[in-house]
């Protein structure tokens, strides 16, 4: 035998020397849901060890994460007072802007604060844009999304992250931010966001499911397709996205790889709530080593080309020192 691949796998030292992919704690972004009561830590049905946090308890969590090397946090607002136009989304007295102001004051540039920009947690119909009869109306949604992004920027967001999948929203948001003096606020675009069955626990967290048997297929992407991911990439870059993202992550590693090859801005991947909960259930049933399976997944996402990973495992990975 001339070739013996096993020769390079003989010892832990050799295997370590030859590792192609690496993962640092500061490449992970921890998502957070909010609660109104400042000291709250509310459980979420079907979402293991993920909570809705009040501003004080969230401050404590962020402080702990910073100590362990996590630098990025994705924040999701919501309201119990939903209406047709999702007006809570751009109310500067809302839960998210109020929380942001406190966090920014407390942590300054230590914590990089991303905010999700989308109407679905605020609309009575649960769609990501406004509705016109049976349709999700694209253009009338744009000024509302831009207003929402501006509200976040004013309250201290470092990056606003449109996840609505309306056409032209990155451009509309960029223009609105620039016109109002927020040219330093960045945009992390949910560029290739698929209509996925993996969003279940997240929608439970925000009560943001589309109502009345409707779905999001007319604006989120079809899992049979990859070409349109490249088209969305081109448009988001033309419209001024600073960072682009693929979501979900594990079932879409090919899309992460494609976008990473094409994009001249960093590519993020969002490993979503359903991916997280699958792991938690497997572990709960004693069928996987938690550390091993989480790291295997995160390395796969890095290997595909993602520069940063949004994951509900971030806190755990860092606090347990799994990457040291
Ligand atoms: C809102 C949004 C969704 C997620 C983030 N922002 C999904 C959706 O309801 O369509 C999913 C994140 C997750 O499942 O962890 N548009
Ligand atoms: Zn949405």
């Amino acid at each position: 035998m001339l070739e013996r691949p096993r020769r390079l796998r003989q010892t832990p030292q050799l295997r370590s020397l030859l590792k192609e992919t690496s993962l640092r704690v500061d490449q992970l972004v921890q998502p957070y849901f909010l609660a109104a009561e400042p000291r709250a830590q509310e459980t979420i049905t079907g979402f293991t060890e993920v909570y809705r946090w009040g501003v004080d308890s969230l401050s404590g969590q962020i402080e702990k994460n910073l100590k362990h090397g996590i630098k990025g946090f994705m924040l999701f607002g919501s309201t119990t007072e939903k209406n047709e136009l999702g007006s809570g989304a751009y109310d500067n007295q809302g839960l998210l802007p109020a929380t942001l102001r406190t966090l920014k004051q407390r942590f300054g540039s230590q914590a990089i604060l991303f905010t999700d920009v989308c109407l679905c947690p605020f609309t009575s119909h649960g769609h990501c844009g406004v509705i016109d009869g049976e349709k999700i109306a694209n253009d009338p949604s744009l000024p509302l999304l831009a207003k929402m992004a501006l509200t976040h920027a004013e309250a201290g967001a470092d990056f606003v992250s449109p996840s609505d999948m309306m056409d032209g929203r990155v451009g509309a948001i960029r223009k609105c931010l620039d016109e109002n003096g927020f040219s330093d606020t960045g945009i992390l675009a949910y560029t290739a966001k698929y209509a996925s069955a993996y969003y279940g626990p997240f929608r439970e967290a925000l009560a943001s499911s589309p109502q009345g048997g409707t779905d999001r297929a007319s604006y989120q992407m079809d899992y049979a397709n990859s070409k349109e991911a490249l088209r969305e990439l081109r448009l988001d870059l033309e419209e001024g996205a600073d960072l682009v993202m693929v979501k979900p992550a594990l079932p879409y590693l090919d899309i992460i790889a494609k976008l990473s090859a094409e994009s001249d801005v960093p590519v993020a991947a969002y490993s979503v709530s359903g991916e997280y909960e699958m792991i938690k259930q497997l572990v709960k049933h004693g069928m996987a080593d938690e550390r091993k399976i989480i790291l295997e997944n995160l390395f796969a996402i890095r290997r595909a080309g993602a520069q940063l990973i949004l994951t509900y495992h971030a806190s755990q990975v860092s606090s347990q020192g799994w990457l040291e």
Side-chain angles (χ1 to χ4, degrees):
M1 263 190 274
L2 269 177
E3 299 212 47
R4 288 184 179 272
R6 287 190 55 196
R7 198 177 285 137
L8 298 182
R9 299 177 197 141
Q10 290 182 83
T11 65
Q13 291 75 6
L14 199 45
R15 293 195 290 272
S16 168
L17 184 75
L18 300 175
K19 263 189 205 299
E20 292 174 28
T21 308
S22 64
L23 174 65
R24 302 187 316 266
V25 163
D26 61 6
Q27 291 170 318
L28 303 177
V29 173
Q30 173 69 40
Y32 279 121
F33 304 106
L34 309 180
E37 166 57 40
R39 308 175 81 95
Q41 176 179 354
E42 296 173 9
T43 52
I44 301 162
T45 312
F47 213 162
T48 304
E49 291 155 29
V50 172
Y51 306 94
R52 293 185 205 91
W53 300 95
V55 62
D56 291 347
S57 16
L58 182 56
S59 289
Q61 289 303 303
I62 290 182
E63 197 167 314
K64 205 174 86 192
N65 281 312
L66 289 172
K67 229 178 264 156
H68 290 120
I70 305 262
K71 295 181 168 59
F73 306 92
M74 170 65 81
L75 306 176
F76 294 93
S78 61
T79 179
T80 49
E81 276 147 55
K82 304 180 191 252
N83 56 40
E84 283 270 307
L85 294 177
S87 61
Y90 33 91
D91 171 7
N92 62 12
Q93 298 306 307
L95 185 55
L96 177 56
T99 306
L100 266 175
R101 283 189 284 269
T102 306
L103 296 178
K104 204 66 224 172
Q105 196 172 27
R106 175 131 189 228
F107 297 107
S109 58
Q110 296 295 107
I112 305 166
L113 302 179
F114 296 85
T115 59
D116 189 86
V117 172
C118 197
L119 299 184
C120 60
F122 302 91
T123 51
S124 42
H125 43 78
H127 279 290
C128 302
V130 295
I131 51 172
D132 180 10
E134 300 280 274
K135 289 197 165 156
I136 316 304
N138 193 88
D139 297 13
S141 302
L142 299 181
L144 305 185
L145 292 162
K147 204 163 148 187
M148 180 178 188
L150 179 59
T151 307
H152 295 179
E154 286 169 342
D158 297 296
F159 285 86
V160 293
S161 314
S163 67
D164 51 282
M165 289 304 275
M166 297 299 119
D167 294 336
R169 88 273 207 219
V170 171
I173 290 172
R174 186 69 272 159
K175 183 161 178 280
C176 175
L177 292 177
D178 288 352
E179 283 172 357
N180 287 279
F182 290 92
S183 57
D184 287 341
T185 306
I187 299 178
L188 161 61
Y190 287 71
T191 295
K193 175 174 177 182
Y194 283 86
S196 171
Y198 283 98
Y199 303 147
F202 173 92
R203 290 181 185 173
E204 184 67 30
L206 298 178
S208 62
S209 291
Q211 298 300 298
T214 57
D215 64 25
R216 306 212 207 282
S218 76
Y219 45 106
Q220 298 181 350
M221 290 168 44
D222 187 327
Y223 56 68
N225 301 341
S226 65
K227 276 204 167 78
E228 58 180 324
L230 293 172
R231 186 184 201 187
E232 292 283 3
L233 173 68
R234 174 172 57 77
L235 292 170
D236 283 358
L237 292 177
E238 282 170 10
E239 291 174 33
D242 299 283
L243 302 167
V244 295
M245 187 152 69
V246 176
K247 169 181 171 201
L250 281 180
Y252 299 91
L253 295 179
D254 58 323
I255 307 298
I256 297 173
K258 275 207 170 84
L259 260 60
S260 299
E262 290 290 318
S263 171
D264 59 3
V265 305
V267 175
Y270 195 149
S271 185
V272 301
S273 57
E275 295 175 60
Y276 168 91
E277 192 59 31
M278 278 199 302
I279 300 304
K280 286 290 174 186
Q281 290 300 324
L282 205 55
V283 169
K284 187 168 138 194
H285 288 88
M287 290 297 126
D289 177 305
E290 189 164 24
R291 173 183 172 276
K292 284 186 176 167
I293 198 166
I294 291 171
L295 293 184
E296 180 176 347
N297 284 349
L298 294 175
F299 268 79
I301 298 166
R302 282 278 297 143
R303 194 184 63 236
Q307 165 68 27
L308 62 155
I309 306 173
L310 281 74
T311 170
Y312 300 94
H313 298 293
S315 280
Q316 187 181 10
V317 168
S318 68
S319 67
Q320 308 276 318
W322 288 346
L323 294 175
E324 280 157 21

